[in-house]
Amino acid sequence: MIGSGDTGGSGEDLLIARHFAPLATHPGALGLSDDVAVMTPPDNCELVLETDAIVAGMHFFADDPPAAIARKALRINLSDLAAKGARPLGFLLSLALPRRSGRATADAAAAVVVDDAWLAAFAAALGEDASVYGCPLYGGDTVASPGPVMISVTVIGAVPTGTLVKRSGARPGDRVLVTGTIGDAALGLVLRMERAGAEDFGLTAAERDHLLSRYLEPRPRTALAEAVRTHATAGMDVSDGLAGDLAKLCRVSGVTARIEVGRVPLSGAAHRLLDAAPEHLAAVLSGGDDYEILCTVPPERLAAFTAAAAAAGVPMTDIGEILDGQGAPVLLGQDGLPLALDRASFSHF
């Protein structure tokens, strides 16, 4: 546990005291000096729990800045809360680090060198995001690992009782909406994996930087949580790919959907890359790491929801409709014919 209560001054205790105790600003964290933390739920609210882990060589690169890794670890969890209409209350952090500080792991793809400077930058960025998003550190764990660096964050949020936006609420006739733009992160990963330069796809330096930054640092749509809770019938965040995540939502709701791919919102950088390499459209639709909100809204609530999104400063696009029936959603291309994807979403297994 972060803050094991041991006063022996072990290496773990010193690491916690130096880098993470300053982040534990809520009284319930007990200054990370105990084995547990204490949280009082807000009146008339239910707690919402969410956890995600990121692993070096799988979710981030060894040479990614530690500040960006910290932001990604927290923000992907905050994205889930936002899609449920929940506000964050705090988080727990677990770190699995190489046993010897400053020594890389055997796998070159996951060879993160963790030293005091790395931890300082990681903790500083985590503290900044904790403040910005109103989500303080309550505790967690630090362990040695013989393998790659692993960072697990558990966020605790709250919603007024009975108002959680689940995957299971979509109904025929609902409109399907997404925030922001889709596919930027997946295309950013293409640039990283293929070591492609801006010139390879006719991208400007600013467009290339945009795609790379969307992969590196997600932007959780926390400003839209209240509007989602008020107007949406079902919702989730797009983490594993638009096509696959919509299929998950439809399956749990017992419905299907029809999506017009030409209406899926793309950034200028994504448009330019696809003009040069249209074969990457599949990555846009199924690659994941967007961390945008995917939700369904009844037609009679659409105007109010769109207005609330505009007031929150969150771009929102209507891309299709929920239909009666079963089976995977149909993705209609520009020619009006269904598109076939080799895979609908990212999968670990």
Side-chain angles (χ1 to χ4, degrees):
M1 179 70 189
I2 286 187
S4 64
D6 177 16
T7 59
S10 69
E12 180 183 359
D13 294 329
L14 295 174
L15 182 154
I16 292 165
R18 177 179 299 176
H19 298 294
F20 297 107
L23 280 59
T25 56
H26 194 281
L30 307 177
L32 302 189
S33 64
D34 213 312
D35 295 310
V36 298
V38 179
M39 177 179 289
T40 302
D43 291 342
N44 303 312
C45 283
E46 296 173 315
L47 294 181
V48 182
L49 311 178
E50 153 62 17
T51 189
D52 263 319
I54 59 174
V55 180
M58 177 61 69
H59 303 96
F60 61 90
F61 290 84
D63 59 352
D64 284 343
I69 296 169
R71 295 186 187 105
K72 189 169 196 174
L74 181 58
R75 292 181 186 185
I76 64 175
N77 287 276
L78 294 173
S79 177
D80 274 307
L81 288 189
K84 302 287 109 182
R87 65 181 177 92
L89 299 177
F91 75 101
L92 304 173
L93 170 70
S94 291
L95 297 173
L97 303 174
R99 181 175 296 276
R100 293 185 180 179
S101 179
R103 188 170 185 176
T105 61
D107 185 349
V112 181
V113 176
V114 178
D115 55 17
D116 195 69
W118 191 99
L119 286 167
F122 178 92
L126 197 62
E128 290 168 2
D129 262 16
S131 177
V132 167
Y133 292 105
C135 189
L137 176 66
Y138 270 74
D141 197 18
T142 55
V143 297
S145 169
V149 169
M150 189 276 288
I151 303 152
S152 179
V153 168
T154 298
V155 289
I156 304 97
V159 294
T161 301
T163 65
L164 181 72
V165 180
K166 304 174 185 177
R167 294 184 184 182
S168 58
R171 296 293 178 264
D174 286 353
R175 302 305 301 177
V176 179
L177 297 104
V178 292
T179 59
T181 56
I182 297 297
D184 288 335
L187 296 179
L189 181 59
V190 168
L191 295 179
R192 290 291 297 270
M193 294 293 289
E194 297 184 2
R195 301 298 178 187
E199 67 279 359
D200 295 319
F201 300 111
L203 299 173
T204 66
E207 288 169 337
R208 184 175 187 274
D209 288 345
H210 169 78
L211 297 178
L212 291 172
S213 70
R214 285 296 305 274
Y215 173 73
L216 200 60
E217 296 189 7
R219 303 168 187 174
R221 300 298 187 176
T222 55
L224 201 63
E226 183 177 352
V228 169
R229 189 175 69 250
T230 302
H231 300 291
T233 54
M236 61 186 296
D237 77 334
V238 182
S239 56
D240 293 330
L242 175 63
D245 285 334
L246 178 59
K248 296 172 189 175
L249 186 150
C250 286
R251 185 166 55 250
V252 176
S253 290
V255 295
T256 187
R258 180 175 56 239
I259 300 300
E260 297 178 41
V261 172
R263 299 177 68 173
V264 173
L266 305 178
S267 68
H271 273 296
R272 188 186 295 270
L273 193 152
L274 290 178
D275 286 344
E279 67 273 15
H280 288 303
L281 177 62
V284 166
L285 298 174
S286 63
D289 282 329
D290 293 303
Y291 299 105
E292 297 289 354
I293 293 177
L294 167 69
C295 62
T296 59
V297 176
E300 64 272 18
R301 297 188 199 172
L302 189 57
F305 183 60
T306 302
V314 178
M316 175 68 65
T317 306
D318 182 339
I319 62 171
E321 183 180 13
I322 295 294
L323 304 174
D324 192 15
Q326 302 284 327
V330 176
L331 307 178
L332 298 178
Q334 298 280 17
D335 56 5
L337 298 176
L339 291 178
L341 301 175
D342 291 337
R343 63 171 191 171
S345 64
F346 171 80
S347 175
H348 282 278
F349 303 103

